[in-house]
Amino acid sequence: MERRESIKYLVRLTLFILLIYVFPFLAAGCGTFGPSVIKGERINYNSAIQRTNDEQLLLNLVRLKYRDTPFFLEVSSVLSQLSISASAEAGLTLPKIGGNVLGLGSGATLADKPTVTYTPLQGEKFVQHLLTPVKLDTVLLLYHSGWSIKRIFALCFQRINGIKNAPGASGPTPDYVPDYKEFTQLLNLFRKLQLKNALDIAYRASGASPELGIRLNPESLDWKEVRELTGLLGVTPGKKYYPLVTNLTSEEPDIIKVELRSLLGIMFYLSQSVEVPAGDREQGKITITRYSSGEPFDWSQVTGEILRIHSGSQSPEQAAVAVKYRNSWFYIKDSDLTSKSTFSLLAQLFALQSGKIKGYAPALTLPIGQ
């Protein structure tokens, strides 16, 4: 019995000495856990934030389809606190240090306790950026980033030289059938010429400041597609450059007058691609666009080539992004690369238009790990 008590005493004495002399070095060496923690947790946080950003964007498209109010929360900070806990076989538990219980022994665990701060995007500046038309410089930036001219123009332009791109779709779903067919023809011509490297969007020197416009390859001026394009636009054929202007009252010859959508207008336009459950349509929860004959209009004729948002009663198995709203699931199929590209472009436009806006409303901080 005395021998057993002596062994216990020696074990406790050894642990006490380790606590006094070794623990400071152990605490100082906790930084060695940093690289392995970053390797695992940074990707997890990155994936979670990216996924929830997409879900929030999709949710707001669905809200607009139902004429509900959109709302955005920004993840403004993520504070990850790493705690280390260990247990000694002799049962010794060390006192709390920095709010965590630490110990010494053969077993050890790492715990991540994140604190996430959300900031509502609202206020005068944010609303102004939602309602301000996209700038031509933004169109230029997206074009030279490799995006299809058809996709950019479909989202950003309401009119080009009087040719309408369903301008009523830039707000709540209209009652009347939109004017869009000639614009679709125009977009297809732009895309064909882009794929053949026959056109470009570029600046050229003009007076005191450079002007942005459509530049045609001299070798393509006699092409059938170019003649069709200039004919639709109502400009003189055979020129190599046509300035893009946002002044719709300008009387200058051979210019391309464009009316750009706002970010909110782009979101309203894309919300027309939401396929609403039959029950919600029958109960009058959305506007049904109709021909003069009373027949319903299918909005996929306008937006179907760039975006399709499906709906169902069950959580989809193969979805790139999905969100539940009004007891239904809305989603973009993972195999629908065209819709995924358009959705990605919308996310970039949202970041360009609202990325510099600071939230001044009270932030919501969630200590998830406590």
Side-chain angles (χ1 to χ4, degrees):
M1 179 67 68
E2 292 181 358
R3 183 178 180 182
R4 183 179 300 175
E5 292 296 326
S6 298
I7 293 174
K8 287 183 178 180
Y9 174 78
L10 289 174
V11 170
R12 290 175 180 173
L13 179 61
T14 301
L15 290 172
F16 179 77
I17 294 173
L18 289 172
L19 172 65
I20 298 299
Y21 295 101
V22 177
F23 180 73
F25 298 98
L26 177 63
C30 288
T32 60
F33 291 107
S36 60
V37 171
I38 290 175
K39 183 178 180 180
E41 297 306 317
R42 181 170 182 173
I43 298 301
N44 292 335
Y45 286 125
N46 183 296
S47 299
I49 293 173
Q50 180 270 332
R51 184 180 67 253
T52 54
N53 280 346
D54 284 352
E55 290 171 352
Q56 178 176 244
L57 194 56
L58 176 60
L59 172 62
N60 281 306
L61 290 181
V62 177
R63 282 172 171 165
L64 291 175
K65 183 64 175 181
Y66 282 89
R67 298 201 182 191
D68 294 338
T69 304
F71 188 74
F72 295 90
L73 276 177
E74 181 185 43
V75 178
S76 54
S77 69
V78 178
L79 177 62
S80 180
Q81 180 180 0
L82 178 66
S83 62
I84 304 174
S85 61
S87 59
E89 291 181 353
L92 177 66
T93 301
L94 304 181
K96 288 187 176 181
I97 299 177
N100 298 310
V101 178
L102 301 176
L104 293 172
S106 59
T109 59
L110 296 175
D112 183 25
K113 296 184 177 181
T115 299
V116 182
T117 301
Y118 299 99
T119 303
L121 291 178
Q122 56 186 15
E124 180 181 357
K125 288 188 176 181
F126 179 66
V127 173
Q128 285 180 352
H129 277 67
L130 277 180
L131 300 179
T132 300
V134 172
K135 295 181 180 180
L136 282 175
D137 282 342
T138 300
V139 172
L140 175 67
L141 177 65
L142 294 172
Y143 177 80
H144 285 284
S145 297
W147 288 105
S148 161
I149 192 171
K150 179 178 180 178
R151 199 182 309 277
I152 298 170
F153 282 13
L155 267 61
C156 297
F157 289 157
Q158 286 195 142
R159 291 178 178 87
I160 299 180
N161 270 11
I163 301 174
K164 298 177 181 179
N165 179 23
S170 296
T173 304
D175 296 319
Y176 56 88
V177 175
D179 190 348
Y180 69 95
K181 291 183 179 180
E182 196 173 20
F183 195 91
T184 301
Q185 182 183 356
L186 185 67
L187 291 182
N188 289 332
L189 286 171
F190 272 122
R191 181 56 176 164
K192 286 180 181 178
L193 293 172
Q194 181 190 23
L195 291 175
K196 293 181 178 180
N197 295 318
L199 63 74
D200 193 13
I201 303 177
Y203 276 102
R204 76 168 183 178
S206 176
S209 59
E211 63 181 7
L212 184 65
I214 302 293
R215 183 172 59 197
L216 295 172
N217 189 326
E219 298 177 355
S220 68
L221 297 182
D222 292 330
W223 291 4
K224 177 184 176 182
E225 294 89 348
V226 173
R227 292 197 302 269
E228 290 181 8
L229 180 67
T230 55
L232 279 175
L233 293 173
V235 295
T236 303
K239 291 192 173 184
K240 293 183 293 184
Y241 196 86
Y242 299 93
L244 288 169
V245 300
T246 56
N247 181 6
L248 300 181
T249 63
S250 176
E251 298 296 334
E252 294 182 28
D254 297 326
I255 60 174
I256 301 176
K257 293 182 285 188
V258 297
E259 181 182 352
L260 291 116
R261 286 192 171 100
S262 65
L263 176 60
L264 186 59
I266 292 172
M267 293 184 64
F268 265 118
Y269 174 75
L270 292 178
S271 75
Q272 314 305 337
S273 66
V274 176
E275 298 176 1
V276 176
D280 289 352
R281 291 198 303 270
E282 294 168 358
Q283 295 174 29
K285 294 182 179 180
I286 64 163
T287 299
I288 298 178
T289 304
R290 299 183 183 276
Y291 291 97
S292 57
S293 62
E295 291 294 318
F297 173 72
D298 182 5
W299 275 97
S300 67
Q301 297 181 50
V302 179
T303 60
E305 290 190 10
I306 57 174
L307 181 64
R308 286 183 178 271
I309 299 174
H310 304 273
S311 63
S313 58
Q314 304 293 328
S315 175
E317 294 183 359
Q318 300 293 329
V321 55
V323 64
K324 189 174 184 180
Y325 189 66
R326 290 176 171 261
N327 297 318
S328 297
W329 282 93
F330 297 87
Y331 61 96
I332 295 174
K333 292 181 179 180
D334 196 28
S335 58
D336 187 353
L337 302 183
T338 297
S339 294
K340 289 167 66 174
S341 294
T342 300
F343 193 78
S344 178
L345 177 59
L346 174 62
Q348 289 189 20
L349 280 164
F350 184 85
L352 287 169
Q353 289 292 101
S354 63
K356 295 182 180 180
I357 300 299
K358 296 181 180 179
Y360 294 99
L364 173 64
T365 302
L366 299 179
I368 298 174
Q370 297 182 6

